[in-house]
mmCIF file of all heavy atoms in Angstrom:
data_model
loop_
_atom_site.group_PDB
_atom_site.id
_atom_site.type_symbol
_atom_site.label_atom_id
_atom_site.label_comp_id
_atom_site.label_asym_id
_atom_site.label_seq_id
_atom_site.Cartn_x
_atom_site.Cartn_y
_atom_site.Cartn_z
ATOM 1 N N VAL A 1027 0.390 0.771 10.095
ATOM 2 C CA VAL A 1027 0.633 -0.046 8.889
ATOM 3 C C VAL A 1027 1.561 -1.215 9.182
ATOM 4 O O VAL A 1027 1.269 -2.362 8.762
ATOM 5 C CB VAL A 1027 1.181 0.829 7.742
ATOM 6 C CG1 VAL A 1027 1.612 -0.048 6.559
ATOM 7 C CG2 VAL A 1027 0.115 1.826 7.272
ATOM 8 N N PRO A 1028 2.688 -1.039 9.914
ATOM 9 C CA PRO A 1028 3.484 -2.219 10.263
ATOM 10 C C PRO A 1028 2.700 -3.263 11.055
ATOM 11 O O PRO A 1028 2.862 -4.464 10.868
ATOM 12 C CB PRO A 1028 4.637 -1.634 11.087
ATOM 13 C CG PRO A 1028 4.742 -0.236 10.630
ATOM 14 C CD PRO A 1028 3.354 0.216 10.327
ATOM 15 N N ALA A 1029 1.819 -2.776 11.957
ATOM 16 C CA ALA A 1029 0.987 -3.716 12.731
ATOM 17 C C ALA A 1029 0.025 -4.483 11.817
ATOM 18 O O ALA A 1029 -0.234 -5.670 12.019
ATOM 19 C CB ALA A 1029 0.220 -2.958 13.802
ATOM 20 N N GLN A 1030 -0.475 -3.808 10.782
ATOM 21 C CA GLN A 1030 -1.386 -4.480 9.845
ATOM 22 C C GLN A 1030 -0.631 -5.515 9.034
ATOM 23 O O GLN A 1030 -1.192 -6.606 8.745
ATOM 24 C CB GLN A 1030 -2.018 -3.428 8.939
ATOM 25 C CG GLN A 1030 -3.012 -2.517 9.641
ATOM 26 C CD GLN A 1030 -3.220 -1.208 8.922
ATOM 27 O OE1 GLN A 1030 -2.906 -1.065 7.735
ATOM 28 N NE2 GLN A 1030 -3.743 -0.205 9.646
ATOM 29 N N VAL A 1031 0.602 -5.232 8.651
ATOM 30 C CA VAL A 1031 1.393 -6.214 7.904
ATOM 31 C C VAL A 1031 1.632 -7.449 8.758
ATOM 32 O O VAL A 1031 1.558 -8.575 8.283
ATOM 33 C CB VAL A 1031 2.726 -5.576 7.443
ATOM 34 C CG1 VAL A 1031 3.621 -6.638 6.798
ATOM 35 C CG2 VAL A 1031 2.474 -4.458 6.450
ATOM 36 N N VAL A 1032 1.935 -7.240 10.053
ATOM 37 C CA VAL A 1032 2.112 -8.373 10.953
ATOM 38 C C VAL A 1032 0.818 -9.191 11.047
ATOM 39 O O VAL A 1032 0.828 -10.416 11.013
ATOM 40 C CB VAL A 1032 2.536 -7.881 12.357
ATOM 41 C CG1 VAL A 1032 2.522 -9.038 13.360
ATOM 42 C CG2 VAL A 1032 3.903 -7.244 12.311
ATOM 43 N N ALA A 1033 -0.313 -8.485 11.134
ATOM 44 C CA ALA A 1033 -1.606 -9.161 11.300
ATOM 45 C C ALA A 1033 -1.969 -9.984 10.082
ATOM 46 O O ALA A 1033 -2.622 -11.023 10.196
ATOM 47 C CB ALA A 1033 -2.696 -8.138 11.593
ATOM 48 N N VAL A 1034 -1.573 -9.537 8.888
ATOM 49 C CA VAL A 1034 -1.917 -10.259 7.657
ATOM 50 C C VAL A 1034 -1.381 -11.695 7.705
ATOM 51 O O VAL A 1034 -2.035 -12.616 7.229
ATOM 52 C CB VAL A 1034 -1.340 -9.513 6.426
ATOM 53 C CG1 VAL A 1034 -1.348 -10.413 5.200
ATOM 54 C CG2 VAL A 1034 -2.160 -8.253 6.150
ATOM 55 N N ALA A 1035 -0.218 -11.892 8.312
ATOM 56 C CA ALA A 1035 0.418 -13.201 8.320
ATOM 57 C C ALA A 1035 -0.060 -14.081 9.484
ATOM 58 O O ALA A 1035 0.334 -15.240 9.568
ATOM 59 C CB ALA A 1035 1.933 -13.059 8.386
ATOM 60 N N GLU A 1036 -0.899 -13.532 10.366
ATOM 61 C CA GLU A 1036 -1.392 -14.321 11.499
ATOM 62 C C GLU A 1036 -2.563 -15.203 11.081
ATOM 63 O O GLU A 1036 -3.195 -14.986 10.057
ATOM 64 C CB GLU A 1036 -1.850 -13.373 12.618
ATOM 65 C CG GLU A 1036 -0.723 -12.590 13.290
ATOM 66 C CD GLU A 1036 0.205 -13.481 14.103
ATOM 67 O OE1 GLU A 1036 -0.287 -14.460 14.712
ATOM 68 O OE2 GLU A 1036 1.408 -13.209 14.106
ATOM 69 N N LYS A 1037 -2.844 -16.186 11.934
ATOM 70 C CA LYS A 1037 -4.064 -16.983 11.735
ATOM 71 C C LYS A 1037 -5.263 -16.057 11.846
ATOM 72 O O LYS A 1037 -5.263 -15.099 12.613
ATOM 73 C CB LYS A 1037 -4.138 -18.089 12.773
ATOM 74 C CG LYS A 1037 -3.028 -19.116 12.668
ATOM 75 C CD LYS A 1037 -3.183 -20.156 13.767
ATOM 76 C CE LYS A 1037 -2.048 -21.182 13.694
ATOM 77 N NZ LYS A 1037 -2.169 -22.217 14.776
ATOM 78 N N ARG A 1038 -6.297 -16.350 11.088
ATOM 79 C CA ARG A 1038 -7.459 -15.468 11.025
ATOM 80 C C ARG A 1038 -8.051 -15.142 12.396
ATOM 81 O O ARG A 1038 -8.354 -13.983 12.676
ATOM 82 C CB ARG A 1038 -8.505 -16.072 10.107
ATOM 83 C CG ARG A 1038 -9.635 -15.125 9.746
ATOM 84 C CD ARG A 1038 -10.625 -15.807 8.814
ATOM 85 N NE ARG A 1038 -9.956 -16.398 7.669
ATOM 86 C CZ ARG A 1038 -10.535 -17.226 6.818
ATOM 87 N NH1 ARG A 1038 -11.789 -17.596 7.014
ATOM 88 N NH2 ARG A 1038 -9.878 -17.712 5.794
ATOM 89 N N PRO A 1039 -8.202 -16.101 13.309
ATOM 90 C CA PRO A 1039 -8.808 -15.766 14.591
ATOM 91 C C PRO A 1039 -7.948 -14.837 15.452
ATOM 92 O O PRO A 1039 -8.454 -14.225 16.385
ATOM 93 C CB PRO A 1039 -8.964 -17.134 15.274
ATOM 94 C CG PRO A 1039 -8.941 -18.130 14.174
ATOM 95 C CD PRO A 1039 -7.993 -17.554 13.156
#
Side-chain angles (χ1 to χ4, degrees):
V1027 172
Q1030 290 157 19
V1031 173
V1032 172
V1034 165
E1036 293 291 325
K1037 296 178 181 180
R1038 191 180 308 168

